[in-house]
């Protein structure tokens, strides 16, 4: 009995129709969520460097997602906007102060949740490390739980920032 999936790429890097529907949804969600995060960072006084990193990631993420519908191999390029956004948020979060300030807690929640999402992509989409069989199915319960943690952390973080 094999615990890990085979080393070959999963459906994440193919023209699989159900997964392409997920890519379309992700392009819309990333456009809205990264736009909101960028806007909140501007509101909260992010530096020009941070705003540039977030804005570039905001533009590239949905662009690469949409382009990857024709060429799934482009999904490897998603690591670029993911790194720009997560890096920009890390830079921004480290400059914040305010013990117990809900906004600071929120920014760190968003930052950690986006790094978690990036790590999930490297692991489950790119398979840089072996994927257990119970996480191999892109629409399975195991992945749903992990994606819910990623999205939930971002949304709760945004709520803290807005509060």
């Amino acid at each position: 009995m094999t615990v890990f999936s085979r080393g070959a790429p999963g459906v994440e890097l193919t023209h699989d129709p159900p997964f392409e529907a997920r890519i379309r949804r992700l392009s819309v969600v990333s456009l809205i969520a990264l736009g909101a995060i960028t806007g909140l960072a501007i509101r909260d006084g992010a530096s020009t460097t941070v705003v540039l990193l977030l804005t570039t990631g905001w533009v590239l993420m949905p662009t690469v997602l949409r382009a990857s519908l024709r060429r799934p191999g482009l999904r490897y390029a998603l690591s670029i906007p993911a790194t720009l956004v997560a890096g920009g948020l890390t830079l921004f979060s480290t400059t914040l102060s305010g013990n117990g300030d809900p906004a600071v807690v929120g920014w760190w929640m968003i930052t950690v949740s986006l790094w978690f999402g990036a790590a999930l992509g490297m692991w489950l989409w790119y398979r840089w490390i072996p994927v257990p069989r119970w996480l191999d199915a892109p629409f399975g319960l195991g992945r749903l739980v992990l994606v819910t943690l990623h999205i939930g952390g971002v949304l709760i973080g945004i709520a803290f920032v807005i509060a």
Side-chain angles (χ1 to χ4, degrees), residues 32-139:
I32 295 166
L34 295 178
I37 290 167
T38 302
L40 289 169
I42 292 168
R43 182 201 74 173
D44 286 0
S47 70
T48 303
T49 302
V50 168
V51 172
L52 181 62
L53 290 168
L54 294 177
T55 302
T56 304
W58 173 27
V59 170
L60 285 177
M61 185 64 76
T63 302
V64 173
L65 283 163
R66 294 299 288 188
S68 78
L69 290 169
R70 290 187 185 172
R71 295 183 52 211
L74 287 175
R75 293 182 193 143
Y76 283 111
L78 292 169
S79 61
I80 297 167
T83 301
L84 291 169
V85 170
L89 285 170
T90 301
L91 181 61
F92 182 51
S93 295
T94 58
T95 65
L96 299 173
S97 62
N99 242 351
D101 182 358
V104 175
V105 172
W107 282 115
W108 277 110
M109 286 185 73
I110 295 167
T111 302
V112 169
S113 297
L114 284 175
W115 276 115
F116 180 63
L120 287 177
M122 290 183 287
W123 179 29
L124 301 172
W125 286 31
Y126 306 157
R127 296 169 187 259
W128 288 356
I129 57 175
V131 176
R133 285 209 179 273
W134 63 275
L135 288 174
D136 196 37
F139 302 101

Side-chain angles (χ1 to χ4, degrees), residues 9-17 19-20 23 68-69 72-73 75:
V11 299
E12 297 85 359
L13 300 174
T14 69
H15 283 290
D16 181 66
F19 202 79
E20 285 187 345
I23 295 295
S68 78
L69 290 169
R75 293 182 193 143

